[in-house]
């Protein structure tokens, strides 16, 4: 019988995040939830990453309520989220009590698959989230942040996979956030992992450089079980390859694809309209949908490149872009070759800009880079350059072990502080994750409730 390849649909999370900065409000995708539910996806990626932040910051939506509403509308499909290990959905490490409660509540509110990664591939930073996921009865997808460097070998990735399996991972995801993985690398890496462990493997990539379709094809040949795709109107460019195109090609090659074409057609027709609205209001810029091979030359993820450009533009220094592009890989090497993913991509990018504009390397250093050199983000893939570390830290000694071990519990304390303002554990978690945003959201919610009460009284 033909081997089956399964699909994760990303339109609600990664495609939304990569193309339109996560600005898709719930009402805009709500009409398609039952169709997505019937389409036969392995999972729908719909939460985590930047969705939580953007719901509170720009959309005035309670991210937890969004999750519950998606769950209610999609009873048959696994819901999947992306979680930044000990960073959860933020940019630095949280205490363990927060990580555990967050994961527990995510599962209680409807999450089935939690894809857990660490920006340094330091498994110490993934352990608590992985265990909490398993304890809550959800699927822990242990994730490798894919990158290339002199120290990132297949042997090292395979070793990481074995550690993730020990921690309770039931699937493995190879996360190529920059879309730099080529077809041969995909073939070799999937083969190496398949040889070492008997676990379902999911490959996640982006179309940024144009490699993605070829990369998925060779990964499937090597035995990959699940691929991440986006419905065609939200596919391509910085997003994922198109769902329908991959399904068509794989079936032609004799693989079994259990997607319902009537459903994907309905999704495609609907999301074309949504896409056109975002093009019309300028949120979706044509460049995001185009192929950009610069990342292959500089090994800089697409999202990071556009951040660097906007930073330089703000500083009236766009003419220094070429120098910054040359400096970025050097900073990455100094920092011990971290994969460039949130938050390391931002940290390395800002430092490269600073080094160029200051005219002296590491003359000024962000507090995040200082914390990084202290070991607060975990163990770096290769040691940090000694001279750079000495210049940044002086005589200070980096910490040993896991940074979160030094963080005091935060949940009980915050619950007490918030009092009536927080109506649930979910509110407490939102507040710890994004205090200013959550506070504003609580105030708006209260005002809205009071208005509704007044309205009811007037009506009566
Ligand atoms: Co992605």
């Amino acid at each position: 019988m033909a081997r089956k390849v399964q699909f994760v649909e990303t339109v609600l999370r990664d495609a939304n995040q990569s193309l339109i900065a996560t600005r898709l409000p719930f009402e805009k995708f709500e009409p398609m939830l039952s169709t997505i539910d019937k389409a036969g996806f392995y999972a729908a990626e719909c939460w985590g990453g930047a969705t939580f932040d953007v719901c509170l910051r720009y959309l005035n939506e309670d991210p937890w309520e969004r999750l519950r509403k998606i769950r209610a509308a999609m009873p048959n499909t696994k819901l999947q989220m992306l979680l930044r290990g000990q960073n959860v959905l933020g940019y630095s490490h949280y205490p363990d009590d927060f990580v555990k409660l967050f994961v527990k509540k995510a599962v209680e509110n409807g999450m089935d698959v939690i894809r857990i990664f660490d920006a340094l591939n330091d498994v110490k930073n993934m352990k608590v989230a992985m265990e909490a996921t398993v304890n809550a009865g959800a699927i822990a997808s242990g994730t490798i942040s894919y990158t290339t460097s002199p120290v990132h070998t297949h042997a090292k990735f395979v070793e990481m996979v074995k550690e993730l399996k020990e921690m309770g991972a039931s699937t493995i995801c190879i996360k190529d956030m920059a879309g730099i993985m080529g077809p041969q690398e995909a073939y070799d890496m999937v083969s190496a992992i398949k040889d070492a462990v008997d676990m379902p493997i999911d490959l996640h990539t982006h179309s940024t450089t144009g490699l993605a379709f070829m990369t998925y094809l060779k990964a499937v040949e090597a035995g990959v079980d699940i691929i991440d795709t986006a419905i065609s109107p939200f596919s391509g460019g910085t997003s994922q390859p198109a769902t329908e195109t991959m399904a068509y090609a794989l079936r032609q090659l004799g693989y079994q694809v259990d997607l319902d074409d009537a459903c994907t057609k309905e999704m495609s027709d609907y999301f074309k309209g949504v896409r056109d609205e975002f093009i019309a209001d300028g949120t979706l810029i044509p460049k995001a949908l185009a192929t950009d091979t610069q990342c292959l030359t500089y090994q800089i993820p697409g999202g990071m490149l556009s951040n660097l450009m906007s930073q330089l533009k703000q500083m009236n220094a766009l003419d220094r872009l070429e120098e910054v592009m040359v400096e970025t890989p050097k900073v990455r090497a100094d920092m011990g070759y971290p994969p460039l993913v949130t938050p390391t991509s931002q940290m390395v990018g800002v430092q490269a800009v600073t080094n160029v504009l200051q005219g002296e390397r590491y003359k000024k250093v962000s507090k995040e880079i200082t914390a990084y050199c202290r070991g607060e983000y975990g163990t770096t893939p290769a040691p940090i350059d000694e001279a750079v570390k000495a210049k940044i830290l002086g005589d200070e000694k980096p910490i040993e072990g896991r940074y979160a071990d030094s963080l005091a519990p935060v949940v009980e304390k915050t619950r007490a502080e918030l009092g009536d303002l927080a109506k649930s554990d979910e509110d407490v978690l939102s507040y710890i994750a994004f205090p200013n945003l959550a506070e504003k959201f609580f105030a708006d919610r209260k005002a809205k409730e009071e208005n509704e009460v007044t309205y009811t009284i007037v009506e009566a």
Side-chain angles (χ1 to χ4, degrees):
M1 215 180 81
R3 196 168 66 80
K4 185 154 109 178
V5 180
Q6 293 192 284
F7 286 58
V8 171
E9 172 60 49
T10 68
V11 66
L12 303 180
R13 207 287 299 176
D14 203 353
N16 169 19
Q17 184 171 328
S18 301
L19 293 179
I20 55 169
T22 333
R23 293 302 197 278
L24 200 55
F26 179 79
E27 321 76 81
K28 279 262 194 285
F29 61 76
E30 184 183 17
M32 269 306 106
L33 290 177
S34 66
T35 310
I36 301 175
D37 194 37
K38 286 188 293 236
F41 292 107
Y42 166 78
E45 193 189 52
C46 62
W47 212 63
T51 58
F52 200 94
D53 184 338
V54 172
C55 272
L56 289 169
R57 196 183 298 266
Y58 300 108
L59 303 175
N60 201 24
E61 271 186 54
D62 181 346
W64 298 99
E65 195 182 314
R66 172 184 280 212
L67 172 56
R68 287 190 292 271
K69 291 198 285 197
I70 297 174
R71 174 77 290 167
M74 297 182 62
N76 305 305
T77 303
K78 286 198 271 294
L79 303 185
Q80 178 174 304
M81 74 172 290
L82 182 65
L83 190 102
R84 300 171 187 150
Q86 202 73 26
N87 288 357
V88 185
L89 300 176
Y91 307 98
S92 59
H93 287 191
Y94 289 101
D96 291 340
D97 66 333
F98 173 75
V99 178
K100 286 178 193 165
L101 186 63
F102 194 98
V103 168
K104 183 168 170 264
K105 286 288 160 185
V107 176
E108 270 177 32
N109 281 281
M111 200 47 65
D112 299 293
V113 183
I114 305 193
R115 181 178 282 177
I116 300 163
F117 77 95
D118 176 67
L120 296 179
N121 284 326
D122 181 350
V123 294
K124 290 197 299 296
N125 298 334
M126 301 166 73
K127 194 169 195 278
V128 172
M130 297 278 293
E131 286 172 357
T133 303
V134 174
N135 289 341
I139 295 172
S141 185
T143 301
I144 298 169
S145 301
Y146 174 76
T147 190
T148 56
S149 86
V151 295
H152 287 90
T153 58
H154 286 157
K156 214 169 162 182
F157 285 135
V158 165
E159 193 186 313
M160 183 179 172
V161 165
K162 288 179 176 165
E163 285 173 317
L164 293 172
K165 192 181 178 192
E166 280 292 296
M167 286 181 185
S170 43
T171 67
I172 292 296
C173 172
I174 306 167
K175 176 179 160 68
D176 173 26
M177 50 278 170
I180 55 168
M181 180 184 267
Q184 191 62 47
E185 290 166 288
Y187 188 88
D188 293 343
M189 188 161 163
V190 171
S191 304
I193 297 173
K194 279 278 170 189
D195 281 346
V197 292
D198 184 19
M199 288 170 88
I201 304 177
D202 177 315
L203 179 58
H204 173 93
T205 188
H206 288 252
S207 297
T208 325
T209 60
L211 290 168
F213 284 117
M214 296 178 276
T215 302
Y216 276 161
L217 193 54
K218 291 302 282 185
V220 168
E221 279 180 23
V224 100
D225 301 273
I226 307 163
I227 53 174
D228 289 12
T229 59
I231 199 71
S232 52
F234 272 79
S235 73
T238 54
S239 176
Q240 272 74 49
T243 305
E244 309 95 296
T245 314
M246 276 313 304
Y248 185 94
L250 290 179
R251 280 176 182 148
Q252 192 172 81
L253 287 161
Y255 295 97
Q256 182 191 338
V257 175
D258 291 343
L259 287 180
D260 183 323
D261 295 342
C263 290
T264 53
K265 163 105 179 33
E266 207 182 315
M267 286 168 63
S268 168
D269 290 346
Y270 176 83
F271 279 109
K272 261 180 205 156
V274 177
R275 177 195 60 191
D276 292 347
E277 283 176 45
F278 281 106
I279 290 175
D281 75 8
T283 310
L284 175 52
I285 52 169
K287 214 175 63 184
L289 291 166
T291 303
D292 186 344
T293 54
Q294 254 181 332
C295 318
L296 296 177
T297 318
Y298 293 101
Q299 304 277 308
I300 298 173
M304 188 175 166
L305 198 61
S306 52
N307 276 344
L308 289 176
M309 286 165 78
S310 73
Q311 265 180 56
L312 286 170
K313 210 169 156 187
Q314 274 171 24
M315 294 166 159
N316 255 330
L318 205 51
D319 59 317
R320 313 290 298 271
L321 181 63
E322 195 63 34
E323 290 165 78
V324 171
M325 304 267 268
V326 174
E327 176 65 8
T328 302
K330 289 185 187 164
V331 172
R332 179 173 174 247
D334 292 340
M335 292 297 126
Y337 296 107
L340 297 175
V341 63
T342 304
T344 43
S345 54
Q346 291 84 345
M347 286 154 55
V348 168
V350 168
Q351 194 58 50
V353 170
T354 313
N355 285 356
V356 167
L357 296 187
Q358 290 287 319
E360 182 191 329
R361 306 185 77 225
Y362 305 101
K363 188 179 169 193
K364 268 175 75 179
V365 175
S366 68
K367 69 177 196 311
E368 287 82 9
I369 286 283
T370 309
Y372 178 97
C373 291
R374 272 195 210 117
E376 293 181 15
Y377 288 83
T379 307
T380 53
I384 299 173
D385 182 89
E386 281 303 330
V388 171
K389 191 152 90 177
K391 185 163 181 181
I392 294 171
L393 291 187
D395 293 335
E396 197 185 340
K397 278 240 167 301
I399 60 157
E400 278 172 34
R402 203 179 66 111
Y403 176 60
D405 287 335
S406 70
L407 301 174
V410 70
V411 173
E412 283 309 325
K413 192 174 133 255
T414 310
R415 193 182 278 136
E417 274 168 23
L418 284 174
D420 288 349
L421 210 54
K423 295 188 187 304
S424 60
D425 275 354
E426 285 81 351
D427 280 352
V428 175
L429 293 166
S430 298
Y431 184 85
I432 296 168
F434 300 102
N436 299 334
L437 299 179
E439 207 169 348
K440 188 181 168 297
F441 177 79
F442 297 155
D444 288 353
R445 182 173 64 185
K446 198 162 171 239
K448 213 167 119 196
E449 279 165 7
E450 277 162 8
N451 277 338
E452 274 162 19
V453 172
T454 320
Y455 181 72
T456 321
I457 293 166
V458 172
E459 279 291 285

